[in-house]
Amino acid sequence: MQSAANLVMPIPGLIDPVPVPRAVTPRADGRTDLLGLSRPQIKAVLEEAGLDVKAAKLRAKQLFHWLYHRGETDFEAMTDLAKPMRGWMAERFVVGRPAVVEAQVSNDGTRKWLLRSDDGQDYEMVFIPDADRGTLCVSSQVGCTLNCRFCHTGTMRLVRNLTPGEIVGQVMLARDALGEWPKGNMGSNVAVQDDEDEDAPQYSPDGRMLTNIVMMGMGEPLYNFEHVRDALKVVMDGDGLALSRRRITLSTSGVIPMMARASEEIGVNLAVSLHAVTKEVRDELVPLNKKYGIEELLQACADYPKASNARRITFEYVMIRNKNDSDDDARELVRLLRKYKLPAKVNLIPFNPWPGSDYECSTPDRIRAFSSIVFEGGISAPVRTPRGRDIMAACGQLKSASEKKSRAELDRLAAEKQAALG
């Protein structure tokens, strides 16, 4: 019998196939991109290129420091490597960054980047600055298979998983743009900011404005588990980007078989896209509910090994007018969370509109009333302030600009996905 760790996690339905790890597209110049590789992986490619074991171990440690602690992309700037070694490296390797198709800045300071992979696939990332933190919303897939009806990304087909390098690359690019590398070193690819960024806050490289990461961009992270895990291990490594696991949150729509494994192998904070408290409504909003129901999902949350009063599970709840925002819905939410004795916080998210959406945002008074009922039930229920709406960077709005389909085509794709989910 296979162990749980070895089981392949299928995606529900027959329309979108299981995304499998893809081989990185070879560069035309034959060089290997080191971005996203761990120290053992860097050591392995150095050995493959001809270094002996001892030399490869030393150079891997040096390269890891330059790549992830200093943000350097130019081997000539890696001063603790002998000059001949720098040339040897440059002939065989490269330290890349995602290609920036478009960089936008919202009226509220939120930034959104449209990125393009070497094989021509587009995906997005968003940076949200606040007074006491800066949060990077990172994508894990090109497109999405889940078809959540309130989410713009859900109208896309799943194209493929992002690689560890493409996931880590989003963090590296954000640090480049914010000038956050030690001693102001921003790598050799700092020209990602456009003219609109001139009035943006100039953060000190001695501070860390990029303080938090949320895996809440395009895609379902637990359907790209291995790549997300490997990328986050690089991000959390104390000798590199050194972001604490307590400052990283992984969001899932409820891929139950992978949740415990995520706790064991990644160990970051968990956020669950709940969005409804009845089967009928959640089946509509989050079709994955037809495979893994609310009660089963909440039990998996109760069993989540890292959950505690100090590390509460966050439940995301988008507020949709006359759909999931009644007083009865709020009371049922409290009942469910109490039933499973969950250390929980509920983020109430005003619905963010997008072209062709069938839903409207709950009124401010209705959201306040809903929040009050949940708070009175002893559960924190803050209302999230929408950020980046004017550049389509808010929660549920991310979608590749290159993905343009008619409404009829979107409806047809949605119907196919719904039918496949049963």
Side-chain angles (χ1 to χ4, degrees):
M1 182 175 179
Q2 285 184 297
S3 68
N6 293 325
L7 289 174
V8 175
M9 183 60 225
I11 283 181
L14 304 174
I15 300 301
D16 292 310
V18 176
V20 296
R22 74 174 185 94
V24 176
T25 303
R27 291 175 54 88
D29 60 12
R31 293 185 295 173
T32 298
D33 194 341
L34 300 179
L35 183 64
L37 300 187
S38 64
R39 268 171 299 189
Q41 289 171 325
I42 295 174
K43 177 177 176 289
V45 298
L46 291 176
E47 288 181 22
E48 187 177 340
L51 293 186
D52 62 44
V53 174
K54 185 177 180 180
K57 182 177 180 181
L58 172 62
R59 300 308 179 198
K61 181 178 180 180
Q62 292 171 315
L63 284 172
F64 192 88
H65 173 83
W66 281 107
L67 267 62
Y68 301 121
H69 181 72
R70 302 295 294 272
E72 188 53 68
T73 60
D74 183 0
F75 291 106
E76 281 300 316
M78 301 180 186
T79 52
D80 58 352
L81 296 176
K83 195 168 184 62
M85 177 57 68
R86 293 179 223 165
W88 184 88
M89 294 277 186
E91 289 175 2
R92 293 162 175 79
F93 305 108
V94 66
V95 182
R97 290 288 190 272
V100 178
V101 178
E102 184 178 18
Q104 296 175 276
V105 181
S106 167
N107 293 328
D108 61 24
T110 299
R111 302 182 183 199
K112 182 173 78 168
W113 290 266
L114 175 63
L115 309 176
R116 182 163 294 161
S117 66
D118 289 340
D119 62 345
Q121 301 300 335
D122 291 351
Y123 53 102
E124 294 181 331
M125 72 175 194
V126 174
F127 177 72
I128 306 164
D130 284 303
D132 60 346
R133 68 173 62 190
T135 302
L136 186 69
C137 183
V138 174
S139 292
S140 58
Q141 296 180 310
V142 179
C144 189
T145 190
L146 294 180
N147 194 40
C148 296
R149 294 292 289 174
F150 60 88
C151 179
H152 201 196
T153 312
T155 65
M156 299 176 64
R157 279 190 184 276
L158 175 68
V159 179
R160 67 166 173 81
N161 284 335
L162 292 179
T163 66
E166 289 165 339
I167 296 169
V168 174
Q170 295 171 66
V171 184
M172 306 292 282
L173 188 65
R175 284 230 172 137
D176 286 352
L178 296 173
E180 290 209 310
W181 300 110
K183 297 181 180 179
N185 178 19
M186 296 167 64
S188 62
N189 202 40
V190 298
V192 296
Q193 294 169 288
D194 58 17
D195 293 338
E196 293 178 283
D197 288 335
E198 290 179 358
D199 296 327
Q202 298 302 306
Y203 303 120
S204 166
D206 296 326
R208 276 285 181 262
M209 286 309 298
L210 199 172
T211 60
N212 294 68
I213 288 175
V214 291
M215 296 299 305
M216 296 182 184
M218 295 169 62
E220 163 58 64
L222 293 187
Y223 280 147
N224 186 16
F225 178 81
E226 286 81 7
H227 286 178
V228 168
R229 175 199 62 202
D230 294 349
L232 290 181
K233 284 185 175 181
V234 168
V235 169
M236 293 185 291
D237 193 298
D239 293 329
L241 288 159
L243 201 68
S244 166
R245 68 182 67 248
R246 290 179 177 270
R247 291 187 174 272
I248 300 174
T249 299
L250 185 150
S251 177
T252 179
S253 292
V255 185
I256 290 174
M258 303 302 288
M259 287 169 59
R261 189 175 169 194
S263 175
E264 294 164 5
E265 298 183 35
I266 307 175
V268 297
N269 299 317
L270 181 69
V272 174
S273 295
L274 190 61
H275 306 308
V277 293
T278 66
K279 173 175 170 52
E280 178 185 11
V281 176
R282 195 165 191 265
D283 280 355
E284 174 187 339
L285 296 180
V286 187
L288 186 65
N289 195 67
K290 297 176 181 180
K291 189 174 184 72
Y292 306 117
I294 294 176
E295 302 266 351
E296 188 180 358
L297 173 58
L298 294 178
Q299 184 59 58
C301 291
D303 296 338
Y304 191 70
K306 291 291 189 294
S308 67
N309 287 328
R311 298 185 66 184
R312 296 173 294 175
I313 292 175
T314 298
F315 289 92
E316 308 285 351
Y317 197 98
V318 64
M319 298 297 295
I320 300 175
R321 185 177 182 181
N322 299 328
K323 178 61 65 174
N324 63 355
D325 62 351
S326 70
D327 287 355
D328 286 343
D329 289 323
R331 285 188 281 267
E332 177 64 5
L333 177 59
V334 171
R335 186 193 72 80
L336 285 169
L337 296 181
R338 282 181 168 178
K339 174 182 176 182
Y340 289 93
K341 300 178 181 178
L342 284 165
K345 176 180 79 170
V346 180
N347 271 348
L348 300 181
I349 307 168
F351 172 69
N352 294 304
W354 44 270
S357 169
D358 296 327
Y359 302 115
E360 296 179 17
C361 183
S362 304
T363 65
D365 286 347
R366 182 90 295 274
I367 295 174
R368 281 192 292 271
F370 192 102
S371 176
S372 295
I373 291 172
V374 180
F375 267 116
E376 288 166 6
I379 298 165
S380 176
V383 179
R384 184 187 294 176
T385 302
R387 300 290 299 274
R389 275 182 170 178
D390 56 313
I391 58 171
M392 293 291 287
C395 181
Q397 290 185 319
L398 296 191
K399 181 176 178 180
S400 299
S402 62
E403 182 81 7
K404 297 186 183 345
K405 288 188 173 72
S406 69
R407 185 62 201 170
E409 174 69 1
L410 294 176
D411 287 343
R412 184 186 67 77
L413 292 174
E416 285 181 349
K417 284 186 176 183
Q418 293 277 23
L421 286 164

